[in-house]
Amino acid sequence: MPRIRRLGQVFGLALLSASGTRGDCVAQEMPRLPIFFVENPASSAEVPVYSGRAQAFVAEFYRDRIALRRSDGAQQAAVALRFAGAAATPVAEEALPGKLNVFVGEATNWRTGLALHGALRYRSLWPGVDLVVHGREGELQY
């Protein structure tokens, strides 16, 4: 029977070779990919202006709120941060290298060459108050 040894991980997929034994496989922590934000073609208040995704959560950034959803197997949770009495459009900051291509559904809905950003800023959410959201070490921070 061929022996299997883990050589490395790339985006959560284990690369395997035909040497080593099954007992040689050692559980390794998955690499944390950077959190990035992508602009959505927002045509209404119910469409997020930007979206972000990392590990098991999705963040959607609207003009009047931030919606967070986490899905970890059978468990799910959702929370929304509403900006009472405020409305500000998030603005992208910290351009990241690379582009995102989304090929979901019909070809007419495909989106290519989307810019990636490392932070979003809600300017003047209230007088003298800006809110900056960014990802650091796999976590969403503000």
Side-chain angles (χ1 to χ4, degrees):
M1 178 176 235
R3 297 168 10 156
I4 299 173
R5 180 184 315 160
R6 184 174 299 192
L7 295 175
Q9 294 178 331
V10 177
F11 299 110
L13 300 175
L15 302 175
L16 303 173
S17 73
S19 64
T21 64
R22 286 182 184 251
D24 289 342
C25 288
V26 177
Q28 296 178 5
E29 186 175 323
M30 299 293 292
R32 288 190 171 211
L33 299 175
I35 296 174
F36 57 84
F37 307 101
V38 178
E39 187 172 11
N40 294 316
S43 58
S44 75
E46 293 308 310
V47 176
V49 180
Y50 284 89
S51 296
R53 181 181 301 263
Q55 308 301 54
F57 82 85
V58 173
E60 295 174 324
F61 301 87
Y62 298 84
R63 288 175 176 81
D64 64 343
R65 69 189 181 279
I66 298 173
L68 304 170
R69 290 190 323 264
R70 180 174 175 81
S71 177
D72 193 9
Q75 297 181 350
Q76 295 183 2
V79 65
L81 306 171
R82 294 197 181 270
F83 309 132
T89 301
V91 177
E93 295 184 346
E94 297 180 21
L96 297 175
K99 300 288 182 185
L100 177 69
N101 299 306
V102 180
F103 301 106
V104 177
E106 298 293 323
T108 56
N109 295 328
W110 293 357
R111 298 169 45 207
T112 60
L114 302 174
L116 307 176
H117 305 282
L120 297 176
R121 177 181 300 269
Y122 285 87
R123 292 189 198 289
S124 298
L125 199 53
W126 294 283
V129 177
D130 284 5
L131 172 67
V132 178
V133 180
H134 55 91
R136 295 291 183 264
E137 298 179 15
E139 296 181 354
L140 190 66
Q141 298 179 354
Y142 59 94

Short mmCIF file of all heavy atoms in Angstrom, two decimals, residues 29-61:
data_model
loop_
_atom_site.label_atom_id
_atom_site.label_comp_id
_atom_site.label_asym_id
_atom_site.label_seq_id
_atom_site.Cartn_x
_atom_site.Cartn_y
_atom_site.Cartn_z
N GLU A 29 -2.16 23.77 11.22
CA GLU A 29 -3.12 24.87 11.18
C GLU A 29 -3.15 25.45 9.78
O GLU A 29 -2.12 25.63 9.15
CB GLU A 29 -2.72 25.95 12.18
CG GLU A 29 -3.75 27.03 12.29
CD GLU A 29 -3.41 28.04 13.37
OE1 GLU A 29 -2.89 27.65 14.40
OE2 GLU A 29 -3.67 29.23 13.12
N MET A 30 -4.36 25.71 9.32
CA MET A 30 -4.54 26.29 7.99
C MET A 30 -3.95 27.69 7.95
O MET A 30 -4.08 28.43 8.93
CB MET A 30 -6.03 26.37 7.63
CG MET A 30 -6.72 25.03 7.61
SD MET A 30 -6.14 23.99 6.27
CE MET A 30 -6.76 24.91 4.90
N PRO A 31 -3.32 28.07 6.85
CA PRO A 31 -2.80 29.43 6.78
C PRO A 31 -3.95 30.43 6.77
O PRO A 31 -5.00 30.17 6.21
CB PRO A 31 -2.05 29.45 5.45
CG PRO A 31 -2.65 28.35 4.65
CD PRO A 31 -3.11 27.31 5.64
N ARG A 32 -3.76 31.56 7.43
CA ARG A 32 -4.78 32.60 7.46
C ARG A 32 -4.58 33.51 6.25
O ARG A 32 -3.54 34.14 6.12
CB ARG A 32 -4.70 33.41 8.74
CG ARG A 32 -5.17 32.62 9.93
CD ARG A 32 -5.30 33.53 11.10
NE ARG A 32 -5.96 32.80 12.16
CZ ARG A 32 -6.74 33.36 13.04
NH1 ARG A 32 -6.94 34.64 13.03
NH2 ARG A 32 -7.30 32.64 13.96
N LEU A 33 -5.58 33.53 5.41
CA LEU A 33 -5.53 34.41 4.25
C LEU A 33 -5.91 35.82 4.67
O LEU A 33 -6.68 36.00 5.61
CB LEU A 33 -6.49 33.90 3.18
CG LEU A 33 -6.18 32.49 2.65
CD1 LEU A 33 -7.26 32.05 1.69
CD2 LEU A 33 -4.83 32.43 2.01
N PRO A 34 -5.38 36.82 4.01
CA PRO A 34 -5.72 38.19 4.40
C PRO A 34 -7.19 38.49 4.13
O PRO A 34 -7.79 37.95 3.21
CB PRO A 34 -4.82 39.05 3.51
CG PRO A 34 -4.45 38.18 2.37
CD PRO A 34 -4.47 36.77 2.88
N ILE A 35 -7.75 39.36 4.97
CA ILE A 35 -9.12 39.81 4.76
C ILE A 35 -9.07 40.95 3.76
O ILE A 35 -8.22 41.84 3.86
CB ILE A 35 -9.74 40.30 6.07
CG1 ILE A 35 -9.85 39.11 7.04
CG2 ILE A 35 -11.11 40.93 5.83
CD1 ILE A 35 -10.32 39.50 8.42
N PHE A 36 -9.94 40.89 2.75
CA PHE A 36 -9.99 41.97 1.77
C PHE A 36 -11.44 42.33 1.51
O PHE A 36 -12.35 41.57 1.81
CB PHE A 36 -9.27 41.58 0.47
CG PHE A 36 -9.80 40.33 -0.17
CD1 PHE A 36 -10.91 40.36 -1.00
CD2 PHE A 36 -9.18 39.11 0.06
CE1 PHE A 36 -11.40 39.21 -1.58
CE2 PHE A 36 -9.66 37.95 -0.52
CZ PHE A 36 -10.77 38.00 -1.35
N PHE A 37 -11.62 43.52 0.96
CA PHE A 37 -12.95 44.05 0.68
C PHE A 37 -13.07 44.32 -0.81
O PHE A 37 -12.13 44.78 -1.44
CB PHE A 37 -13.18 45.34 1.48
CG PHE A 37 -12.90 45.15 2.95
CD1 PHE A 37 -11.72 45.59 3.49
CD2 PHE A 37 -13.82 44.51 3.75
CE1 PHE A 37 -11.45 45.41 4.84
CE2 PHE A 37 -13.57 44.32 5.09
CZ PHE A 37 -12.37 44.77 5.64
N VAL A 38 -14.25 44.01 -1.36
CA VAL A 38 -14.52 44.16 -2.79
C VAL A 38 -15.78 44.99 -2.97
O VAL A 38 -16.79 44.76 -2.28
CB VAL A 38 -14.71 42.78 -3.46
CG1 VAL A 38 -15.04 42.93 -4.93
CG2 VAL A 38 -13.49 41.92 -3.26
N GLU A 39 -15.72 45.95 -3.89
CA GLU A 39 -16.88 46.79 -4.16
C GLU A 39 -17.95 46.01 -4.92
O GLU A 39 -17.65 45.23 -5.82
CB GLU A 39 -16.47 48.02 -4.96
CG GLU A 39 -17.58 49.03 -5.15
CD GLU A 39 -17.10 50.33 -5.77
OE1 GLU A 39 -15.96 50.39 -6.25
OE2 GLU A 39 -17.90 51.28 -5.79
N ASN A 40 -19.20 46.22 -4.55
CA ASN A 40 -20.35 45.61 -5.23
C ASN A 40 -21.03 46.67 -6.09
O ASN A 40 -21.04 47.84 -5.72
CB ASN A 40 -21.36 45.08 -4.22
CG ASN A 40 -20.80 43.93 -3.42
OD1 ASN A 40 -20.17 43.05 -3.94
ND2 ASN A 40 -21.00 43.97 -2.12
N PRO A 41 -21.61 46.26 -7.20
CA PRO A 41 -22.37 47.24 -8.00
C PRO A 41 -23.69 47.55 -7.30
O PRO A 41 -24.71 46.95 -7.59
CB PRO A 41 -22.57 46.52 -9.33
CG PRO A 41 -22.52 45.06 -8.98
CD PRO A 41 -21.59 44.95 -7.80
N ALA A 42 -23.63 48.44 -6.32
CA ALA A 42 -24.81 48.76 -5.50
C ALA A 42 -25.81 49.59 -6.29
O ALA A 42 -25.50 50.70 -6.71
CB ALA A 42 -24.39 49.49 -4.24
N SER A 43 -26.99 49.05 -6.46
CA SER A 43 -28.02 49.79 -7.18
C SER A 43 -29.18 50.19 -6.28
O SER A 43 -30.07 50.89 -6.69
CB SER A 43 -28.54 48.94 -8.35
OG SER A 43 -29.05 47.72 -7.86
N SER A 44 -29.15 49.69 -5.03
CA SER A 44 -30.21 50.06 -4.09
C SER A 44 -29.64 50.03 -2.67
O SER A 44 -28.54 49.53 -2.44
CB SER A 44 -31.39 49.09 -4.19
OG SER A 44 -31.07 47.86 -3.59
N ALA A 45 -30.40 50.52 -1.72
CA ALA A 45 -29.96 50.55 -0.33
C ALA A 45 -29.86 49.14 0.26
O ALA A 45 -29.21 48.95 1.27
CB ALA A 45 -30.92 51.40 0.50
N GLU A 46 -30.50 48.17 -0.36
CA GLU A 46 -30.47 46.80 0.14
C GLU A 46 -29.32 45.97 -0.41
O GLU A 46 -29.19 44.81 -0.07
CB GLU A 46 -31.81 46.11 -0.14
CG GLU A 46 -32.96 46.72 0.65
CD GLU A 46 -32.66 46.80 2.15
OE1 GLU A 46 -32.24 45.79 2.74
OE2 GLU A 46 -32.85 47.89 2.73
N VAL A 47 -28.50 46.56 -1.26
CA VAL A 47 -27.32 45.88 -1.79
C VAL A 47 -26.10 46.46 -1.08
O VAL A 47 -25.94 47.68 -1.03
CB VAL A 47 -27.20 46.09 -3.33
CG1 VAL A 47 -25.91 45.48 -3.86
CG2 VAL A 47 -28.41 45.51 -4.03
N PRO A 48 -25.23 45.61 -0.50
CA PRO A 48 -24.07 46.16 0.19
C PRO A 48 -23.14 46.89 -0.79
O PRO A 48 -22.99 46.48 -1.93
CB PRO A 48 -23.38 44.93 0.78
CG PRO A 48 -23.90 43.78 0.03
CD PRO A 48 -25.26 44.16 -0.48
N VAL A 49 -22.54 47.97 -0.31
CA VAL A 49 -21.60 48.74 -1.14
C VAL A 49 -20.30 47.96 -1.29
O VAL A 49 -19.71 47.91 -2.36
CB VAL A 49 -21.35 50.13 -0.53
CG1 VAL A 49 -20.38 50.93 -1.38
CG2 VAL A 49 -22.66 50.89 -0.36
N TYR A 50 -19.85 47.31 -0.20
CA TYR A 50 -18.65 46.46 -0.21
C TYR A 50 -18.96 45.17 0.53
O TYR A 50 -19.83 45.13 1.40
CB TYR A 50 -17.48 47.16 0.51
CG TYR A 50 -16.85 48.24 -0.31
CD1 TYR A 50 -17.31 49.54 -0.23
CD2 TYR A 50 -15.78 47.97 -1.16
CE1 TYR A 50 -16.74 50.55 -0.98
CE2 TYR A 50 -15.20 48.98 -1.91
CZ TYR A 50 -15.68 50.26 -1.81
OH TYR A 50 -15.11 51.26 -2.56
N SER A 51 -18.21 44.13 0.19
CA SER A 51 -18.30 42.85 0.88
C SER A 51 -16.90 42.40 1.24
O SER A 51 -15.93 42.70 0.53
CB SER A 51 -18.93 41.78 -0.01
OG SER A 51 -20.26 42.12 -0.31
N GLY A 52 -16.80 41.68 2.33
CA GLY A 52 -15.53 41.09 2.75
C GLY A 52 -15.78 39.68 3.21
O GLY A 52 -16.87 39.34 3.68
N ARG A 53 -14.77 38.83 3.08
CA ARG A 53 -14.93 37.43 3.46
C ARG A 53 -13.59 36.92 3.99
O ARG A 53 -12.55 37.23 3.45
CB ARG A 53 -15.34 36.63 2.23
CG ARG A 53 -15.57 35.17 2.47
CD ARG A 53 -15.94 34.47 1.18
NE ARG A 53 -17.14 35.02 0.59
CZ ARG A 53 -18.36 34.52 0.73
NH1 ARG A 53 -18.54 33.46 1.45
NH2 ARG A 53 -19.39 35.08 0.15
N ALA A 54 -13.68 36.14 5.07
CA ALA A 54 -12.48 35.49 5.59
C ALA A 54 -12.90 34.28 6.41
O ALA A 54 -13.87 34.35 7.16
CB ALA A 54 -11.68 36.45 6.46
N GLN A 55 -12.14 33.22 6.24
CA GLN A 55 -12.39 31.98 6.95
C GLN A 55 -13.88 31.67 6.94
O GLN A 55 -14.43 31.39 5.91
CB GLN A 55 -11.84 32.04 8.37
CG GLN A 55 -10.38 32.47 8.47
CD GLN A 55 -9.40 31.59 7.72
OE1 GLN A 55 -9.56 31.34 6.53
NE2 GLN A 55 -8.37 31.13 8.39
N ALA A 56 -14.56 31.75 8.08
CA ALA A 56 -15.96 31.32 8.17
C ALA A 56 -16.94 32.47 8.26
O ALA A 56 -18.09 32.27 8.61
CB ALA A 56 -16.12 30.40 9.38
N PHE A 57 -16.51 33.71 7.96
CA PHE A 57 -17.47 34.80 8.09
C PHE A 57 -17.55 35.64 6.83
O PHE A 57 -16.63 35.67 6.02
CB PHE A 57 -17.19 35.68 9.32
CG PHE A 57 -16.12 36.71 9.12
CD1 PHE A 57 -16.42 37.94 8.55
CD2 PHE A 57 -14.82 36.47 9.51
CE1 PHE A 57 -15.45 38.90 8.37
CE2 PHE A 57 -13.84 37.43 9.33
CZ PHE A 57 -14.15 38.64 8.76
N VAL A 58 -18.69 36.32 6.69
CA VAL A 58 -18.94 37.25 5.59
C VAL A 58 -19.35 38.57 6.22
O VAL A 58 -20.16 38.60 7.13
CB VAL A 58 -20.07 36.74 4.66
CG1 VAL A 58 -20.43 37.79 3.62
CG2 VAL A 58 -19.68 35.44 4.01
N ALA A 59 -18.76 39.66 5.74
CA ALA A 59 -19.13 41.00 6.21
C ALA A 59 -19.66 41.78 5.02
O ALA A 59 -19.07 41.77 3.94
CB ALA A 59 -17.92 41.70 6.81
N GLU A 60 -20.79 42.45 5.21
CA GLU A 60 -21.39 43.28 4.16
C GLU A 60 -21.51 44.70 4.69
O GLU A 60 -22.00 44.91 5.81
CB GLU A 60 -22.76 42.73 3.76
CG GLU A 60 -22.64 41.36 3.12
CD GLU A 60 -23.98 40.74 2.83
OE1 GLU A 60 -24.93 40.93 3.62
OE2 GLU A 60 -24.09 40.05 1.80
N PHE A 61 -21.07 45.66 3.91
CA PHE A 61 -20.99 47.06 4.33
C PHE A 61 -21.99 47.89 3.53
O PHE A 61 -21.83 48.07 2.33
CB PHE A 61 -19.56 47.57 4.15
CG PHE A 61 -18.57 46.77 4.94
CD1 PHE A 61 -18.01 45.62 4.41
CD2 PHE A 61 -18.26 47.14 6.23
CE1 PHE A 61 -17.12 44.86 5.16
CE2 PHE A 61 -17.37 46.39 6.99
CZ PHE A 61 -16.80 45.24 6.45
#
